[in-house]
Amino acid sequence: MRSKTKKNRAKERGRVGISRRVENILNCLCSGGQLRAQEMVPSSEILAANDYLPSSSSSQAADVEPKQDTGNIEEAESSLRESGCLNYEEARALLGRYEYQKGNIEAALHVFEGINIVAVAPKMKLTLAKKGGCRRRRSQSDAAPPMSIHAVSLLLEAIFLKAKSLQGLGRFKGIVTGAEEPIEAAQSCNFILDIVESSLPEGLHVDFGSDCKLQEILNKAIELLPDLWKLADSPHEAILSYRRALLHPWNLDAETNAKIQKEFAVFLLYSGGEASPPELRSQMDGSFVPRNNVEEAVLLLIILLRKFSLKKIEWDPSILDHLSYAVSLSGGLRALANQVEELLPGIMNRQERYYTLALYYYGDGDSLTALNLLKKLLSKRENPKHLPALLLASKICGENPNFAEDGISYARKALESLQEGCAEMRGVANYLLGISLSVHSRSVVADSERVQRQDEALHALETAGRMMKLRDPNVVYHLSLENAEQRKLDAALYYANHFIKLEGGSSVKGWLLLARILSAQKRFKDAETIINAAIDQTGKWDQGHLLRTKAKLQIARGWLKQAIETYTHLLAVLQVQRKSFGSGMKFLKGSGYPDKSLELDTWHDLANVYISLSQWHDAELCLSKSRSISPYSAARYHAMGLIYQKQSLNKEALKAFANAVDIEPSHIPSLISMAVILRHLGSQSDAVVKSLLTQVLCLDRMNPSAWFNLGLVYKKNGAASSQEAAEYFQTAALLEESTPVEPFR
């Protein structure tokens, strides 16, 4: 007990003595004086002081998260062993670190600001250069470096802590007028990189940091610098610092390098600015150089994905999320799917792999491959109740009439698993069920089943609307569309107006649907007013379909000359758009790309207007233009047949209509025209004509022309079929009253 008491008293006396010496150092530093030799603190006493000095915390410490480390002055000990004392800068570095660890951020900053870094920088560079050079050419220079490597580490750490202190005190905001005037915190952090880079242009050796904390300090500075520039609202400098971190050989470990790559990719994708392409001083011929933010981000994320494949870093699923977003902006989801398929087994969960690949193939337009992957995922062997897969499978099936019945099944299975689930998700499942039911109803032959499916579709969509409180634009749009197709035009008009309000008038398809509903109500003037308003609010490249609908409304009003002018204006817009695209102007995927099908349809529409005016030469000129776009077009052959029919060349007209049907067996105008020609020629039995018209009604039950011509066929048979003929005429008249200028879909 007595020996322990003596030891405790000795420690207490040592602590008091050391505290006095530290106090003298602090007073000297604050006064700017020079330290006398007897005031230099030996290394053993400094270590003892570090052990005994109290650890306190404060509110400032919580902001910057200071880290206590009882052995963090080993560099100072090594330096003192070599020189016997601390110089002025090293003492300030040591004292500032101590204040920072206590949480006295302002005091630490005050101490750090007293260090004359500019004066000591040449010595630090020379020391690092000699340290790096002696490993390669040990015999060329025997002169000792001006500083120890541990002293260099101590001073670099002081610079880093100064930057952290400035950040913690909120001094990262400032006005940056150029690369030469960065804010103080970033300048301090950048200074560390400048010293190391200029001293060691070939980079740090793998074992360079084994002697000291230099590598650790360098890693922290490299990670911090971009964050400081981002906080200072200087995205360009942040991008340059990211590129500098990745292109210079800093000897970063794999995890740190991957972290920087991911943060840089995320910044490129979501920062909202456009970076200038990187200027790579050395690169292999033919190597890929990114031209914009998205390409650079994709390159970084692909590199990370490759590292995952090689098991150099731990799996991070968020990389695929960011990569999916980046690739979806520019296309190429199939290439991303190939990258995922190359991942080694075990990196991704198999079910997650199936679902992710299905999303990529679906986004690339390969719905069949996506559906096959989902079927594997939903098999009994995997997970038949995988909700996202059920919903995606229903969505894919709802877009293809051949799989609509499967889509109904998937949606109902999703609803079964969501009986007690989220109302929003049940709304989505009902929405997809309504879509599949609607698509299936159009392929059903029996009238009773078709009506039943239509009622079920409308009920499912209305249920989805209630669950989502009519806040989902897709649900509202399809509610309007389904009501319109069932000729419930007042309800359709209400939902169309609501959809436009939800979209803020930014959706072209909403304006088109509203105009078509108004045209079905024979309110052509109101419909054209809507289209004109939409054109005023829409960019030039997105006006194509609006202009085409406007021309059709003018035709319905009998304004054929105005319609020709509108079509001519539309063709001029498409021509300018095509030239702009050909000259290298960039367009986002799905926006602004020249629409060849729209141009083709416009030439055919214009030809039909000239045919109605009996201007054969102009009509043939339009058809020659369409032929240069697509040599095999059912609509072009149909227009040629109309020209022959107008000139009473029925056999040539029939041949042209037959060619159109050969190209597109479900081309409704050609099927009806064939039936009309055959009925006039009388060379075929009524059964052939009825077969053609019945085929049309299987494709489109709401086609008034098919019902009317079918009535004419039955009327020809006399009194025996007069009742059927009257019913067909009545149906045609009712449908004609509510037929839009162009199909609702």
Side-chain angles (χ1 to χ4, degrees):
M1 291 293 292
R2 290 182 179 179
S3 62
K4 289 183 179 180
T5 304
K6 288 181 180 179
K7 288 181 180 179
N8 290 337
R9 289 175 181 174
K11 284 186 177 181
E12 184 67 25
R13 286 195 300 270
R15 184 171 65 178
V16 172
I18 293 170
S19 297
R20 288 175 181 173
R21 285 176 172 82
V22 171
E23 185 177 356
N24 291 337
I25 294 173
L26 179 59
N27 293 333
C28 183
L29 291 175
C30 293
S31 62
Q34 296 295 323
L35 292 173
R36 298 187 301 275
Q38 63 269 28
E39 292 174 338
M40 298 298 181
V41 184
S43 62
S44 58
E45 293 184 354
I46 291 175
L47 289 173
N50 189 65
D51 290 336
Y52 283 112
L53 286 171
S55 299
S56 60
S57 60
S58 66
S59 60
Q60 290 177 330
D63 293 338
V64 296
E65 299 180 0
K67 181 181 178 182
Q68 294 289 347
D69 185 359
T70 57
N72 63 358
I73 56 172
E74 294 175 357
E75 302 91 344
E77 181 185 21
S78 300
S79 179
L80 289 168
R81 284 173 180 171
E82 296 174 14
S83 61
C85 64
L86 287 172
N87 64 24
Y88 181 78
E89 283 77 16
E90 293 170 26
R92 274 192 174 272
L94 184 61
L95 187 60
R97 181 172 63 186
Y98 168 67
E99 294 292 345
Y100 181 86
Q101 289 174 343
K102 286 202 307 178
N104 299 331
I105 307 304
E106 293 190 21
L109 183 59
H110 179 70
V111 175
F112 289 139
E113 286 177 342
I115 300 175
N116 190 351
I117 292 296
V118 176
V120 78
K123 296 180 181 180
M124 297 168 67
K125 293 179 181 178
L126 184 58
T127 300
L128 289 173
K130 284 184 174 292
K131 177 73 173 178
C134 69
R135 296 181 182 273
R136 299 187 300 271
R137 301 179 299 277
R138 189 174 296 276
S139 62
Q140 292 184 8
S141 177
D142 296 328
M147 302 175 67
S148 69
I149 192 66
H150 305 286
V152 173
S153 298
L154 185 63
L155 290 172
L156 289 178
E157 184 186 32
I159 301 170
F160 173 75
L161 292 179
K162 178 183 177 182
K164 290 289 290 182
S165 300
L166 289 165
Q167 181 190 21
L169 293 173
R171 299 188 187 180
F172 44 77
K173 287 291 183 183
I175 299 176
V176 183
T177 57
E180 296 81 12
E181 300 180 16
I183 56 172
E184 190 175 358
Q187 185 182 31
S188 298
C189 204
N190 197 57
F191 192 75
I192 299 174
L193 275 61
D194 288 340
I195 288 177
V196 176
E197 188 174 23
S198 61
S199 307
L200 303 167
E202 297 180 7
L204 276 72
H205 295 281
V206 175
D207 59 342
F208 195 96
S210 60
D211 301 334
C212 61
K213 292 177 66 177
L214 178 61
Q215 184 68 60
E216 179 185 348
I217 297 166
L218 187 60
N219 289 1
K220 291 179 179 179
I222 290 171
E223 289 187 59
L224 178 62
L225 185 56
D227 292 335
L228 292 174
W229 285 123
K230 285 186 280 187
L231 290 170
D233 284 336
S234 185
H236 178 69
E237 296 296 336
I239 288 171
L240 292 180
S241 62
Y242 274 126
R243 288 174 179 166
R244 183 183 187 185
L246 296 174
L247 294 176
H248 190 78
W250 301 109
N251 189 29
L252 301 175
D253 61 89
E255 291 296 334
T256 301
N257 190 270
K259 180 182 177 183
I260 294 172
Q261 287 177 326
K262 177 186 172 182
E263 289 180 355
F264 186 23
V266 169
F267 185 71
L268 287 169
L269 287 175
Y270 310 116
S271 64
E274 186 64 36
S276 56
E279 296 180 2
L280 304 180
R281 286 173 288 182
S282 60
Q283 62 188 59
M284 296 177 62
D285 292 337
S287 60
F288 174 75
V289 179
R291 297 170 295 178
N292 51 50
N293 284 24
V294 175
E295 288 187 1
E296 191 168 3
V298 168
L299 177 61
L300 290 165
L301 295 169
I302 288 291
I303 291 172
L304 287 172
L305 205 60
R306 180 60 60 183
K307 289 180 179 179
F308 294 140
S309 299
L310 300 175
K311 295 187 176 181
K312 292 184 177 180
I313 56 177
E314 294 294 325
W315 171 246
D316 182 358
S318 67
I319 296 299
L320 272 183
D321 296 335
H322 297 305
L323 193 53
S324 302
Y325 170 73
V327 174
S328 67
L329 293 176
S330 54
L333 284 170
R334 182 175 291 273
L336 182 54
N338 294 336
Q339 292 287 332
V340 173
E341 288 173 343
E342 291 175 5
L343 291 176
L344 295 175
I347 293 180
M348 287 182 71
N349 177 276
R350 188 164 60 183
Q351 294 181 15
E352 181 186 359
R353 187 190 191 97
Y354 282 143
Y355 183 68
T356 301
L357 286 172
L359 283 173
Y360 292 159
Y361 281 112
Y362 176 64
D364 193 59
D366 191 351
S367 299
L368 187 59
T369 301
L371 186 59
N372 288 334
L373 287 164
L374 292 171
K375 286 180 178 178
K376 288 183 179 180
L377 173 54
L378 294 170
S379 64
K380 292 182 180 180
R381 180 183 175 185
E382 295 295 338
N383 187 0
K385 296 183 179 181
H386 192 283
L387 182 60
L390 287 170
L391 294 176
L392 181 58
S394 178
K395 177 178 174 61
I396 293 173
C397 291
E399 295 172 355
N400 189 330
N402 297 325
F403 302 119
E405 200 162 0
D406 292 336
I408 296 170
S409 175
Y410 288 130
R412 284 177 172 163
K413 287 180 181 179
L415 283 170
E416 288 176 5
S417 63
L418 281 168
Q419 288 181 356
E420 303 297 331
C422 171
E424 290 287 335
M425 292 301 294
R426 280 186 285 136
V428 172
N430 273 292
Y431 160 69
L432 295 173
L433 175 61
I435 298 295
S436 295
L437 286 166
S438 176
V439 173
H440 184 59
S441 69
R442 294 194 290 275
S443 61
V444 172
V445 177
D447 288 342
S448 58
E449 186 180 357
R450 176 175 53 82
V451 172
Q452 181 184 354
R453 290 299 191 190
Q454 286 179 339
D455 290 341
E456 290 175 352
L458 196 56
H459 175 72
L461 290 171
E462 288 172 346
T463 302
R466 285 195 303 272
M467 288 181 172
M468 298 183 179
K469 299 179 181 179
L470 292 180
R471 293 175 182 172
D472 188 300
N474 290 323
V475 174
V476 176
Y477 177 79
H478 281 89
L479 268 170
S480 177
L481 192 58
E482 190 63 30
N483 276 287
E485 290 199 325
Q486 295 186 28
R487 296 305 192 265
K488 299 175 181 178
L489 298 180
D490 291 336
L493 187 63
Y494 168 77
Y495 287 121
N497 279 310
H498 188 59
F499 173 77
I500 290 174
K501 290 179 182 178
L502 286 175
E503 292 286 300
S506 62
S507 175
V508 172
K509 70 176 184 178
W511 292 111
L512 289 172
L513 180 58
L514 180 58
R516 290 165 185 168
I517 293 169
L518 290 171
S519 72
Q521 294 178 329
K522 307 308 175 187
R523 296 165 58 183
F524 299 121
K525 183 177 180 181
D526 293 339
E528 189 173 351
T529 302
I530 290 294
I531 291 296
N532 288 332
I535 291 172
D536 292 339
Q537 299 182 36
T538 307
K540 183 179 291 185
W541 293 160
D542 298 322
Q543 292 178 0
H545 292 284
L546 293 169
L547 289 170
R548 187 182 179 212
T549 301
K550 179 180 178 178
K552 289 191 174 184
L553 289 168
Q554 291 170 334
I555 293 172
R557 300 177 72 181
W559 297 355
L560 299 185
K561 290 185 178 179
Q562 289 87 337
I564 291 173
E565 292 175 359
T566 303
Y567 280 129
T568 303
H569 176 59
L570 171 55
L571 291 169
V573 170
L574 292 174
Q575 185 178 14
V576 172
Q577 189 176 0
R578 185 174 62 252
K579 288 182 178 179
S580 298
F581 181 80
S583 65
M585 183 180 291
K586 294 183 178 63
F587 294 91
L588 289 176
K589 185 181 179 182
S591 174
Y593 189 88
D595 192 341
K596 287 188 177 181
S597 63
L598 177 59
E599 185 176 2
L600 190 67
D601 292 338
T602 303
W603 283 117
H604 294 152
D605 289 347
L606 189 55
N608 289 331
V609 175
Y610 284 127
I611 290 170
S612 65
L613 294 172
S614 300
Q615 298 181 17
W616 317 125
H617 176 72
D618 292 331
E620 290 172 354
L621 183 62
C622 292
L623 295 178
S624 67
K625 292 286 187 180
S626 76
R627 184 174 184 175
S628 64
I629 299 172
S630 176
Y632 302 101
S633 168
R636 186 173 66 83
Y637 278 103
H638 177 256
M640 290 173 59
L642 291 178
I643 294 176
Y644 293 134
Q645 186 179 10
K646 285 277 188 176
Q647 296 174 344
S648 299
L649 301 173
N650 290 330
K651 290 184 178 180
E652 289 81 355
L654 184 61
K655 184 179 179 181
F657 295 143
N659 288 334
V661 173
D662 288 340
I663 294 172
E664 187 179 336
S666 60
H667 192 255
I668 290 176
S670 296
L671 290 170
I672 294 175
S673 296
M674 281 185 68
V676 171
I677 291 290
L678 290 173
R679 184 172 59 81
H680 282 187
L681 290 176
S683 59
Q684 298 289 340
S685 66
D686 291 342
V688 175
V689 178
K690 288 179 183 178
S691 174
L692 290 170
L693 295 173
T694 303
Q695 185 179 351
V696 171
L697 292 175
C698 288
L699 296 169
D700 180 12
R701 300 287 297 181
M702 298 294 187
N703 192 297
S705 180
W707 287 106
F708 177 76
N709 282 285
L710 196 58
L712 291 176
V713 174
Y714 277 89
K715 181 183 177 182
K716 181 182 176 182
N717 294 333
S721 302
S722 59
Q723 181 66 31
E724 290 89 342
E727 291 178 358
Y728 293 148
F729 288 142
Q730 185 178 8
T731 301
L734 290 173
L735 290 175
E736 185 64 35
E737 291 178 358
S738 59
T739 299
V741 293
E742 55 187 354
F744 291 114
R745 292 185 185 274

